[in-house]
Amino acid sequence: MPVPSKERVTELISDLVHSQGYDLEDVAVNLAGKHSAVRIMVDSDAGLELDAVARLSHTISEVFDSVPDFGETPYTLEVTSPGIDRPLTHERHWRRARGRKVRIDLPNETVVGRIGRWDDDAVEVVIGSRSGPEVCRVSVSDIEKAIVQVEFSKPDPRELELAGGIPEGRVSPSDSDISEEEEVVEELDK
């Protein structure tokens, strides 16, 4: 029996992931014989720690082992954070990325700035101007695509202040030793 579908994997783990305090961001099932893989992407407001991801990985593995869906087919289970290249599509993505640099594609222009506060209708974005950083509002309905950008230098403290700072538990873009760009991953070969 092959590895179950994305929908079945989601059904098996959705409640478990939520009960552990995480959002299930995505499930990817790659069927490739002996190299099949199940990749589960989770996140939370407090971010992810490697030990917590390892515990969640083992718990998910136990769930998979308890159902006949997987049979004897070998697969690799990977529990990971979504990574920096995930498009910002939900309010929680914007909230968690506050203070980060973002590229926002609109119908007639592209805005690059620092993510500020979000409400149901718009997101505040701190952009540079000749007189210094300023806040502009971008209508949520106008956003075609938005992706956090990798930063290689410390952000302007004034920009961070105008954006409302970094959410508690999230990594600051100014921390060079550990960054959100590095995904937290736990793999188990079954």
Side-chain angles (χ1 to χ4, degrees):
M1 177 182 289
V3 174
S5 68
K6 173 181 178 172
E7 292 76 19
R8 177 63 175 145
V9 170
T10 301
E11 177 186 327
L12 287 169
I13 65 166
S14 185
D15 289 341
L16 167 73
V17 169
H18 286 96
S19 73
Q20 298 293 314
Y22 297 102
D23 292 309
L24 180 61
E25 294 293 346
D26 197 11
V27 170
V29 176
N30 179 9
L31 303 175
K34 290 183 180 180
H35 301 290
S36 293
V38 177
R39 186 172 197 210
I40 299 167
M41 288 158 269
V42 299
D43 201 2
S44 75
D45 284 348
L48 298 175
E49 292 183 6
L50 189 55
D51 289 343
V53 172
R55 283 190 300 275
L56 184 59
S57 180
H58 289 287
T59 305
I60 290 170
S61 179
E62 289 172 358
V63 168
F64 289 170
D65 289 347
S66 72
V67 295
D69 300 59
F70 286 83
E72 296 299 316
T73 305
Y75 65 94
T76 300
L77 171 61
E78 181 179 316
V79 177
T80 182
S81 63
I84 195 164
D85 58 348
R86 169 197 54 202
L88 304 175
T89 56
H90 297 290
E91 182 272 336
R92 68 179 180 262
H93 299 160
W94 290 90
R95 184 181 69 241
R96 293 171 182 161
R98 190 181 70 226
R100 303 298 305 248
K101 190 75 87 172
V102 67
R103 176 191 164 116
I104 303 172
D105 294 333
L106 302 169
N108 297 316
E109 69 176 315
T110 297
V111 175
V112 176
R114 195 159 303 283
I115 299 170
R117 291 171 184 84
W118 165 281
D119 65 40
D120 292 334
D121 300 322
V123 63
E124 292 179 354
V125 181
V126 180
I127 57 172
S129 72
R130 289 185 180 188
S131 60
E134 59 185 46
V135 177
C136 72
R137 288 178 53 86
V138 176
S139 173
V140 171
S141 62
D142 290 340
I143 298 172
E144 293 178 346
K145 186 175 183 180
I147 297 181
V148 170
Q149 304 295 290
V150 176
E151 295 184 72
F152 296 103
S153 59
K154 288 188 174 195
D156 178 336
R158 179 71 180 130
E159 285 181 11
L160 281 177
E161 180 184 336
L162 287 172
I166 305 297
E168 186 175 330
R170 303 308 275 194
V171 177
S172 171
S174 63
D175 293 342
S176 58
D177 55 333
I178 298 175
S179 69
E180 272 187 337
E181 289 80 18
E182 298 175 39
E183 294 181 40
V184 176
V185 178
E186 172 70 17
E187 284 189 15
L188 291 176
D189 286 324
K190 299 299 286 184

